[in-house]
């Protein structure tokens, strides 16, 4: 068990700032604890002897030993209170008090002091600006929220306290239970990663769910969540997905918005299942908290109603699942057991006069089929069907097989009692067939998360020292961008480039051109000229005899364009045959939360107009690099669509991995684009380079 | 009012086949009518004098005059019963009896006879194989379903009776009311179009909703729905959207599956709002049945909770709406009226201690802002907020402005009473912010439907007789496909083609080539060789002096490939400059339900790999043709992306319209592809043609 057990399961809880003043937060918390908690509750307030019938202490040091302190003192007193708490040896603190970083300057300074004290005493601090925490381990409601949680196996964290209040009220009506609930507040000390780690170690947490507006340390979160999701599914609503939402989230929590693409990639790599709404959050977690894993994607649909059966089938079509293709034996058995009018092909329509027993027979038969990974029972209310009996039948069949079954007993009031019975046995009931299927879909997604193996990033043999020297060139410049003159960076990291050289006199240009077979491409090399083509700074198909004049012309154009431009020379490069090749782009930029974000796409319109790209947080291994290539829409173009010879996809995949290694080795590289990386049948070649270096960071790049 | 008023609002209803036998459908219907209906109920059964205390008649002719007959006699007796009913002058019949086309051969024959009798007596027949109908106009439940509907303004049709049962049970729990409800059954006589027309004429139907698995006559439906949606929104779940679902729907109803693309286009052109699930159906219709239209897309979000506010903002980002940009005055007023800690920028966070009054103040201010087209109130339960008061405040502010407001009072039990109050005033409450926004989104979509003007298809001056002659060529062939030899079809319909001719001797080929400026393209012309390029049957860049030999070579290749191939000659065509042009595809195929389905896309990978196409049901006018060009993802390529000269988009739009006219004029054209239609800066040219003609249909093509 992790280090936060005492936070959720203390024997003694103190409320520092407890009061009996009506409407005060310090009273609400004390009331909640008094009314629910199994352990001792200790009010602390220097101006009271007794609060709500409990003996009150002047300060923490005079109180009996406490394991959890809930702090509701004024903002300026919080740091001092934490110090006192730390002195007594108590390590777990929930700071309810608001008025910290969420309020700007002065508050941010208060929060900095709070963090310092926490570090001095190694305190586990939730908050500040938290609604509090709850745990059904010991019936503890250490929050000022009006609702207690029902016992269950879902642990829930939220960056919004109001979200917790709203969800608990609704969950209580729905009979959905929780293990631990945490209002994260400003996350000054403990953040989402800490709770993911804690609940990953908690055998009684079946599902971790959360509402987050930002993730503080994306890297660490990904690493932690990856390990946890081997055992425990994580379902998150990460809000601020849209531009408008991101702006609202940033003004709500003051978080620097990372890019949605980075969150999308990072959370996916972490194995997190993402929900877009409250409803999805619970539709997924209800299925994940009580059902076994589906061992295949085939879904059996058993229904007494044709129309809802078709709707369910559409929902399966929309999902990652598929309608199971029954074995012949299954169809024979169904045909023997069901009435003639029934449809024994999936979706199975056992028709309107079906009772619970007929549902049971059909369900038994399909759950034996090895092509059936999961099943959904969809029913419309009829005169001959008792929903309570149907619920019991479903439970019985579900328990007899290691196959997940969800229910969609349609209807209103008449479905409620059955729904409750199903819930007690871990079977979610959904009103809408599409939601029932999305529950099954979440199970299959989680199975895939568990089954995937994430290969270790390969460590290619590279010349790191040479790369460092090349990057250091940027320190001598006025600006921190490097271009084609630094193509030797690719050589250092084993990324193929065309033959060529940067030269600074026309005779040398001719020599280089002569050493290269065929015509050459010549480009002006100047950090001051970024759009070379626009000023005629690129010449293609230059024959050896024209190289001298071309050199002179390029330099003249550059001077003409900008008399004081730094001209580093002219690049003379082998002309790559583009007829049978495809231009791709491999790039990287750094996200404030997740770090290096790799991007892949096809060149030109594919990236610029169709926005057909894939992204991953680096470092990545071969499988993930290959997935980047496979998941763009235009990938068939690389694989030999329309009669073309397939490009060297392995070369592209390796280049992505080598770039991943480069940007991981050098945190000083802020942005880097290989554009284009030309992929032909015989290999790949990086043709052009743009990168930005953080010259301050250069010195701190790790050595190895 | 339409012709179906008596169906829904009769004074006397007969149940033909009424019985008091326990469990019989004929009893269930009679009971429902007896218990609910305001008019007279007449049981008819030759072997009873009295049924359930009502005087029973031997047959229809001996009964008092009736306005609606509900028929539950055995399948073979239905046609005869309908004839008797027709003889008495009764025109409205609901056939409950099953065992018709849904059961195959014999049943289909029964249904044919039923249809004949209905035609003879001009009967309005619902069904057969129907659950029945209901109407709250007169508390009539003429069905064997267990639930009565609550009174309301939603009229509801369903191709699945079970769907009605399930939905009514749920709707009763939710307090959602209906006007008329129809179980369509097999739609032998009355179908979805009839009810759309009827309800469009009914001033008390605010929204028409439906569950359909197929639309029988797409054309007529589109025309009818287009007119109706000027006044009354239509929201449909059309199931069978996915391949699996379409297969299931086809086995459920025996309907020939039309293509999902055709439904998508047809329903959109009809102005129908499409829902994918039961939940969406009601989320949309609840908003559409009680709220005014938003006059702009700006949404104001008023909340006491930051997190749910961000979620709402994300939902707006996902929708067609946008977060309203407040006028300065609004921000000033909010700043003055709200506490300092409030965020007065949209989403407005009036913070956790807000009471109903503060919500009301904020709502009043934003509803005055001319950039606000709609508003959503999102609240989390707190100690200081009474939901009942909040509901009253929302109703009051909503009524004081012509702006739609929806509510998202989050929570469970504590929101129920407020929800009911809101509902009584036409304001839907949703638990999930994303659903609240989707309700507003449906309102905006419907406003757009109402506001759009659908331009009449232009009638270009074409040579229809010549086109008919060209199409008739297919009758002389072994197969019914025409190709490049029929390019003069384009000339007849004013679609530009390159200069050229089909010739059948090499000397003539040279003459034609000489008359054309520059090199030419030569293609073998044979109905037996569809993939000309694959056998070397196309030569490009042929100089005049090489034309003779090229001709001989092409013919030799064709003979070599297939000795008995019919060779019509060789096409000698102006070589179109493709450097500055874009290849597009304009095509048509016929859908069994909707008729001619036009398709537009860019050539090559864009259609084949990226599936980036737009479709419309013909005939269409200029606006819709232009929308087809605009809505493909790659459209910037035509408009001059990446420094290219823009293509002649007007020419493309006109070509689509001319093709629309051609395929509307000639129903015998089953499929037609202009591939490619080359679009350059100076115009468009149709380069190649493939079409399939229904030679039997040719004779019945209309003359004008």
């Amino acid at each position: 068990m992790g280090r936060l057990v005492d936070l959720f399961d203390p024997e003694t809880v103190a409320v520092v700032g407890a009061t009996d003043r009506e409407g005060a937060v310090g009273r609400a918390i004390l009331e909640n604890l008094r009314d629910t908690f199994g352990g001792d509750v200790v009010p602390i307030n220097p101006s009271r002897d007794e609060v709500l019938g409990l003996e009150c202490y002047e300060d923490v040091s005079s109180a009996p030993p406490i394991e959890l302190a809930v702090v509701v003192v004024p903002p300026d007193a919080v740091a001092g209170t934490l110090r006192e708490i730390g002195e007594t040896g108590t390590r777990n603190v929930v700071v309810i008090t608001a008025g910290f970083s969420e309020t700007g300057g002065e508050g941010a300074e208060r929060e900095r002091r709070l963090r310092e004290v926490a570090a001095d005493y190694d305190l586990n601090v939730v908050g500040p600006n938290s609604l509090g925490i709850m745990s059904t381990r010991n019936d503890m409601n250490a929050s000022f929220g009006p609702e207690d949680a029902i016992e269950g196996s879902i642990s829930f964290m939220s960056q919004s306290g109001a979200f917790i209040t709203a969800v608990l009220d609704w969950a209580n009506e729905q009979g959905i239970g929780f293990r631990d609930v945490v209002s994260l507040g400003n996350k000054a000390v403990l953040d989402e990663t800490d709770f993911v780690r804690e609940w990953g170690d908690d055998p009684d947490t079946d599902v971790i769910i959360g509402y987050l507006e930002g993730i503080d340390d994306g890297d660490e979160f990904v690493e932690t969540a990856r390990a946890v999701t081997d055992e425990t599914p994580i379902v998150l609503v990460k809000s601020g997905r849209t531009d408008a939402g991101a702006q609202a989230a940033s003004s709500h929590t003051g978080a620097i918005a990372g890019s949605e693409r980075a969150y999308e990639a990072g959370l996916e790599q972490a194995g997190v299942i993402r929900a877009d709404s409250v409803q999805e959050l619970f539709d997924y977690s209800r299925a994940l908290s009580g059902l076994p894993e589906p061992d295949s994607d085939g879904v059996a649909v058993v229904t007494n109603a044709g129309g809802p059966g078709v709707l369910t089938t559409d929902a399966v079509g929309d999902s990652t699942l598929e309608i199971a293709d029954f074995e012949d034996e299954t169809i024979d058995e169904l045909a023997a057991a069901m009435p003639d009018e029934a449809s024994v092909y999936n979706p199975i329509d056992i028709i309107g006069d079906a009772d619970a027993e007929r549902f049971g027979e059909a369900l038994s038969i399909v759950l034996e089929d090895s092509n059936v990974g999961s099943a959904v029972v969809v029913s419309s209310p009829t005169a001959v069907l008792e929903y309570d009996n149907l619920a019991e039948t479903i439970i019985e069949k579900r328990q007899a097989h290691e196959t997940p079954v969800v229910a969609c007993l349609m209807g209103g009031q008449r479905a409620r009692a059955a729904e409750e019975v199903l819930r007690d046995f871990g079977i979610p009931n959904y009103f809408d067939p599409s939601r029932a299927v999305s529950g099954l879909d979440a199970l299959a997604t989680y199975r895939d998360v568990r089954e995937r193996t994430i290969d270790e990033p390969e460590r290619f043999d590279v010349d790191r020292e040479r790369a460092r020297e090349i990057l250091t060139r940027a320190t001598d410049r006025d600006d921190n961008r490097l271009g084609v003159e630094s193509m030797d960076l690719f050589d250092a990291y084993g990324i193929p480039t065309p033959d060529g050289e940067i030269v600074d006199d026309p005779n040398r240009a001719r020599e280089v051109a002569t050493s290269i077979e065929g015509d050459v491409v010549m480009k002006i090399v100047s950090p001051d000229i970024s759009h070379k083509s626009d000023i005629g700074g690129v010449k293609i198909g230059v024959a050896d005899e024209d190289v001298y004049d071309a050199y002179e012309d390029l330099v003249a154009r550059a001077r003409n364009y900008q008399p004081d431009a730094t001209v580093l020379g002219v690049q003379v490069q082998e002309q790559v045959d583009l007829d049978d090749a495809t231009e791709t782009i491999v790039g990287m930029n750094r996200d404030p939360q997740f770090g290096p974000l790799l991007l892949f796409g096809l060149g030109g319109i594919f990236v610029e107009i169709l926005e057909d790209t894939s992204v991953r947080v680096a470092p990545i291994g071969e499988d993930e690099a290959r997935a980047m290539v496979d998941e763009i829409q235009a990938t068939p173009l690389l694989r030999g669509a329309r009669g073309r010879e397939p490009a060297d996809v392995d070369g592209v995949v390796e280049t992505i991995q080598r770039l991943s290694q480069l940007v991981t080795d050098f945190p000083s590289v802020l942005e880097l684009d290989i554009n284009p990386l030309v992929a032909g049948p015989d290999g790949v070649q990086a043709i052009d380079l743009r990168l930005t270096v953080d010259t301050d960071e250069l010195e701190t790049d790790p050595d190895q």
Side-chain angles (χ1 to χ4, degrees), chain A:
Chain A
M1 291 288 274
R3 57 184 195 144
L4 299 178
V5 177
D6 290 346
L7 179 70
F8 290 114
D9 197 6
E11 294 198 353
T12 312
V13 180
V15 179
V16 188
T19 175
D20 46 14
R21 190 162 44 81
E22 277 291 342
V25 170
R27 179 185 172 123
I29 296 170
L30 193 64
E31 279 180 337
N32 279 338
L33 280 167
R34 184 196 60 184
D35 296 348
T36 60
F37 184 49
D40 292 332
V41 182
V42 180
I44 292 175
N45 185 332
S47 55
R48 299 274 200 292
D49 291 332
E50 192 188 279
V51 183
L52 302 177
L54 297 167
E55 186 181 353
C56 183
Y57 296 84
E58 195 179 343
D59 52 30
V60 181
S61 52
S62 60
I66 50 181
E67 284 174 284
L68 169 64
V70 183
V71 174
V72 267
V73 300
D76 281 328
V78 167
T81 302
L82 256 59
R83 195 168 289 282
E84 278 180 60
I85 291 169
E87 288 293 337
T88 66
T90 300
R91 289 187 51 212
N92 299 297
V93 187
V94 176
V95 181
I96 304 291
T97 312
F100 289 81
S101 61
E102 82 280 9
T103 60
E106 217 172 304
E109 174 53 26
R110 264 186 220 117
E111 191 157 314
R112 203 191 49 71
R113 284 203 304 276
L114 178 157
R115 210 180 274 118
E116 265 175 20
V117 177
D120 288 350
Y121 293 93
D122 195 17
L123 300 180
N124 298 320
V125 179
V126 175
N129 188 23
S130 165
L131 180 79
I133 66 172
M134 300 180 201
S135 178
T136 57
R137 303 177 196 220
N138 48 23
D139 299 325
M140 176 179 74
N141 180 353
S143 85
F144 63 98
E147 295 282 335
D148 298 329
I150 312 178
E151 193 171 340
S153 63
I154 298 175
S155 284
F156 172 28
M157 59 185 165
S158 172
Q159 210 168 334
S160 157
F163 191 83
I164 292 180
T165 315
V167 160
L168 280 186
D169 191 31
W170 171 82
N172 288 347
E173 186 192 36
Q174 304 281 315
I176 296 172
F178 296 88
R179 169 94 169 149
D180 300 327
V181 178
V182 176
S183 163
L184 293 167
N186 293 2
K187 307 191 289 190
V189 178
L190 294 176
D191 66 12
E192 52 283 339
T193 306
D194 298 293
F195 292 103
V196 162
R197 191 183 293 117
E198 171 64 21
W199 289 327
D201 286 338
D202 173 22
D204 294 315
T205 290
D206 286 342
V207 187
I208 299 169
I209 68 171
Y211 168 82
L212 297 178
E213 296 183 359
I215 289 177
D216 292 328
D217 182 338
D219 233 20
E220 196 200 353
F221 181 84
V222 170
E223 199 183 321
T224 306
R226 254 186 187 165
V228 165
T229 51
D230 278 346
E231 293 288 339
T232 311
I234 304 175
V235 188
L236 295 182
V237 172
K238 155 67 184 74
S239 71
R241 281 181 297 113
T242 61
D243 289 346
Q247 207 178 326
S250 154
S251 95
H252 177 221
T253 61
I256 303 159
S259 84
E260 166 58 19
R261 296 274 340 240
Y263 276 107
E264 195 183 315
L267 293 177
E268 203 280 329
Q269 288 174 258
V272 167
I273 297 172
R274 206 160 160 190
D276 282 348
S277 64
V278 188
Q279 184 168 295
E280 280 183 8
L281 185 65
F282 283 92
D283 282 352
Y284 298 167
S285 51
R286 282 159 66 205
L288 288 162
S289 62
L291 294 172
E293 248 169 47
D295 57 16
S296 78
D297 285 340
V299 180
V301 180
V302 182
T303 182
N304 65 347
V310 178
L311 274 180
T312 310
T313 308
D314 269 337
V316 172
D318 287 337
S319 75
T320 68
L321 304 170
E322 60 196 29
I323 289 289
D325 193 6
F326 290 149
E327 291 162 348
D328 292 345
E329 203 185 339
T330 303
I331 290 170
D332 293 345
E333 283 181 46
L334 285 170
M338 297 293 123
D340 286 352
E341 300 78 10
S343 166
V344 298
Y345 298 91
N346 205 1
I348 308 166
D349 182 354
I350 62 174
I351 67 174
D353 65 351
D355 55 9
E357 199 184 335
R358 195 188 296 162
F359 267 101
E361 279 179 86
L363 201 49
S364 280
I365 296 169
V366 297
L367 291 177
E368 290 292 335
D369 190 305
S370 66
N371 296 336
V372 171
S374 60
V376 50
V377 175
V378 181
S379 66
S380 172
T382 69
V384 293
L385 183 64
E386 291 289 335
Y387 269 8
D388 294 351
N389 293 347
L390 179 57
E392 275 161 32
T393 304
I394 296 171
I395 290 164
E396 184 193 315
K397 303 304 174 190
R398 156 60 210 97
Q399 290 183 328
H401 297 83
E402 261 313 287
T403 304
V405 180
V406 297
C408 177
L409 311 191
M410 297 178 86
Q413 211 47 54
R414 78 176 67 203
R416 295 297 158 257
E419 194 162 76
E420 204 165 312
V421 175
L422 286 166
R423 188 169 52 228
D424 288 345
F425 287 85
I427 300 170
N429 183 55
Y430 302 87
F431 166 67
D432 194 309
S434 67
R435 290 172 56 193
V437 171
S438 77
L440 291 180
D441 205 13
L443 284 175
T445 304
Y446 180 56
R447 176 204 60 210
D448 293 345
V449 164
R450 284 190 49 157
E451 283 178 357
R452 71 181 178 182
T453 51
I454 296 184
D455 49 352
E456 278 298 301
E458 194 163 336
R459 295 297 305 173
F460 295 96
D461 185 18
V462 298
D463 188 345
R464 193 160 169 169
E465 266 322 299
R466 189 167 155 218
R468 183 186 306 279
E469 282 163 31
I470 295 165
L471 294 175
T472 308
R473 288 176 197 159
T475 50
D476 311 329
R477 299 271 184 84
D478 285 346
D479 82 25
N480 57 347
R481 286 171 301 161
L482 296 176
V484 71
E485 77 285 358
S486 304
M487 292 278 285
D488 42 350
L489 186 63
F490 293 146
D491 300 337
Y493 266 70
I495 295 168
T497 52
D499 283 350
E501 207 175 302
I502 293 168
V503 298
D504 56 7
D505 86 84
N507 286 312
R508 178 63 195 145
R510 190 153 49 188
E511 275 171 41
V512 173
T514 312
S515 73
I516 292 172
E517 197 180 334
D519 293 348
V520 294
V521 177
M522 295 175 67
K523 296 178 198 164
I524 194 76
V525 181
S526 162
D528 300 320
I529 301 171
S530 52
H531 294 281
K532 297 184 280 279
S533 304
D534 295 352
I535 65 149
V538 179
K539 289 179 184 282
I540 59 176
V542 185
D544 292 355
E545 59 272 25
D546 301 329
V547 165
Y548 191 102
D549 292 346
Y551 181 99
E552 300 280 14
D553 184 50
L554 286 170
V555 173
R557 280 172 189 269
R559 293 269 168 255
N560 195 32
Y561 168 69
Q562 189 179 326
D564 63 345
T566 306
V567 173
L568 301 175
V570 168
Q571 184 190 42
V572 180
Q573 200 179 45
E574 173 192 355
Q575 180 153 330
V576 175
D577 178 13
L578 287 173
D579 283 351
D580 290 324
T582 304
E583 293 193 15
T584 71
I585 295 176
V586 184
M588 185 281 301
N589 66 54
R590 277 186 201 272
D591 179 79
Q593 269 81 37
F594 287 90
L597 193 65
L598 302 172
L599 175 142
F600 173 74
L602 299 199
I605 57 151
F606 293 97
V607 167
E608 288 173 28
I609 294 175
L610 303 176
E611 295 171 6
D612 180 21
T613 57
S614 55
V615 299
R616 289 292 184 287
V617 177
I620 59 172
E622 185 182 335
D623 289 349
E624 288 182 285
R626 196 169 298 277
M628 287 183 76
V629 176
D630 288 344
E631 78 188 32
I632 63 166
Q633 271 194 294
T635 191
L637 282 188
L638 284 175
R639 304 238 173 235
R642 296 172 55 83
R644 290 159 59 109
E645 204 174 335
D648 175 20
V649 171
D650 290 344
V652 176
V653 170
E654 188 175 316
T655 304
I656 296 173
Q657 291 169 267
R658 287 178 181 271
L659 180 69
S660 165
Q661 181 173 343
L662 172 63
V663 300
T664 309
D665 286 348
F666 295 99
S668 60
V669 177
L670 296 179
E671 285 184 291
L672 192 160
D673 277 334
I674 310 178
N675 182 6
L677 175 80
V678 170
D682 304 320
V684 299
Q685 284 186 309
I687 306 291
D688 207 347
L689 164 74
R690 292 179 68 177
L691 74 84
T692 311
V693 183
D694 180 343
T695 49
D696 297 334
E697 184 83 8
L698 252 180
E699 288 158 38
T700 61
D701 277 343
D703 274 340
Q704 205 56 299

